[in-house]
Amino acid sequence: RQVACSPDGTLACSASGDHTCILWDISSGTPALKCRLGTIPEGLTGGGQGTGHGHIVTGVAFSPDGKYIATVSYDKSVRVWSSEGDPLAVMHGHTQIANCCAFTPDGRGILSGSTDKTLKLWRLKHQGTDTFDTFPWGKGVVLEFAFAQSMAPALTDNHGDSEEYNNLMQRHRAHMPDMKCDLVNLIGHSGAVNICAFSPDGKFVLSGSSDCSARLWHAGKITSEGVHGAPALVLKAHNRAIISGAFSPTSDKLVTGSEDGTANVHLTATGELLQRIDLAH
């Protein structure tokens, strides 16, 4: 499905259709299985349930410091793991398949894109700080947040045993009043969001969709106050779904790949199309 490497190049994480990810140690040049994120359910094809994701894992990303891993799945959830394989948090809010994820450049937030046509920026906080290393997780503690099926620009879940949570998840959770999750919805695509990426300089977010468009968003405006001013550019140079995309190391250019068999190179600042590459074989 997808493979991501840690920033220091010592680990790789592969997303799979068996509902898990495998963390590989690649430091020696010979890949060695370090651990599995989640467990393969018994009766995989018969609706069995393991630990971790409840369906095909579609995307995976490492945090900038390499300590944390984010995964997304057909089960609509976003999960956070330690680089040692410990489950740390799960966030529910997408209403359809979650297709892609990326950490913010500061490592304090996670962006996800979904077939529900939205991008969601999740920021966890403990006693007002959003530094992951300070959170009360690990050692069997898995934080869980859930949001109603709302397209509101911004929402907050205070990790209480609320009626809304009980209705959504059909179960209770322990109240952790020092924890909360802030969620910002980015709305604009008219089709599934298949890719999302932050520019290396942290100024922009790139999203690509089955609506054949790519969008650039001002990363600094993706807040509860500024979300409506976030879209910067809409790029419409493909005639089929966009399924891949990335920025250049200097952030001044971006490339999108499409099911139409082409890759397009654009200037980040203006969206100008610099080159169209025919990838058809």
Side-chain angles (χ1 to χ4, degrees):
R1 286 290 171 168
Q2 189 182 27
V3 178
C5 289
S6 62
D8 64 4
T10 62
L11 297 173
C13 191
S14 56
S16 172
D18 66 9
H19 303 192
T20 74
C21 292
I22 290 181
L23 199 57
W24 303 90
D25 184 339
I26 57 174
S27 59
S28 67
T30 302
L33 193 153
K34 180 179 179 180
C35 63
R36 190 181 292 272
L37 308 184
T39 59
I40 302 174
E42 293 184 13
L44 177 62
T45 60
Q49 180 67 51
T51 61
H53 283 295
H55 213 308
I56 294 167
V57 183
T58 51
V60 58
F62 278 90
S63 63
D65 61 9
K67 294 181 180 180
Y68 304 96
I69 300 166
T71 58
V72 290
S73 168
Y74 270 47
D75 69 8
K76 311 173 191 176
S77 72
V78 180
R79 287 182 176 265
V80 183
W81 314 77
S82 76
S83 59
E84 298 299 317
D86 299 314
L88 302 178
V90 56
M91 290 89 81
H92 304 276
H94 282 299
T95 59
Q96 295 186 49
I97 296 167
N99 296 313
C100 54
C101 60
F103 274 89
T104 58
D106 62 10
R108 297 182 178 186
I110 297 169
L111 184 70
S112 60
S114 168
T115 303
D116 67 14
K117 307 176 186 178
T118 71
L119 293 118
K120 296 183 185 293
L121 181 62
W122 316 79
R123 284 194 179 272
L124 307 186
K125 294 183 179 179
H126 176 242
Q127 296 179 339
T129 181
D130 55 4
T131 304
F132 276 26
D133 289 345
T134 67
F135 291 177
W137 56 18
K139 299 180 180 178
V141 176
V142 179
L143 304 177
E144 189 166 15
F145 300 93
F147 294 86
Q149 298 180 11
S150 171
M151 292 298 182
L155 299 161
T156 295
D157 179 0
N158 290 309
H159 210 286
D161 189 23
S162 64
E163 182 177 352
E164 179 187 34
Y165 179 87
N166 297 340
N167 290 338
L168 282 168
M169 305 307 300
Q170 300 300 306
R171 62 179 180 271
H172 296 270
R173 65 177 170 183
H175 186 201
M176 300 182 69
D178 292 335
M179 286 298 309
K180 74 172 184 175
C181 178
D182 290 333
L183 175 65
V184 174
N185 285 306
L186 296 182
I187 300 169
H189 282 294
S190 59
V193 179
N194 301 318
I195 64 105
C196 60
F198 282 89
S199 59
D201 63 10
K203 294 181 179 179
F204 293 98
V205 168
L206 171 66
S207 60
S209 170
S210 294
D211 66 9
C212 308
S213 77
R215 286 175 178 255
L216 275 175
W217 311 78
H218 288 296
K221 294 183 179 180
I222 304 176
T223 65
S224 57
E225 293 80 17
V227 65
H228 295 297
L233 292 169
V234 180
L235 308 176
K236 295 183 178 180
H238 290 290
N239 55 39
R240 292 191 65 184
I242 294 174
I243 55 175
S244 60
F247 287 93
S248 65
T250 53
S251 301
D252 62 330
K253 298 180 183 69
L254 64 90
V255 62
T256 56
S258 168
E259 289 180 345
D260 65 12
T262 67
N264 291 334
V265 182
H266 296 264
L267 278 179
T268 303
T270 64
E272 177 187 352
L273 179 62
L274 299 177
Q275 185 179 7
R276 186 188 305 275
I277 304 167
D278 187 353
L279 303 176
H281 293 286

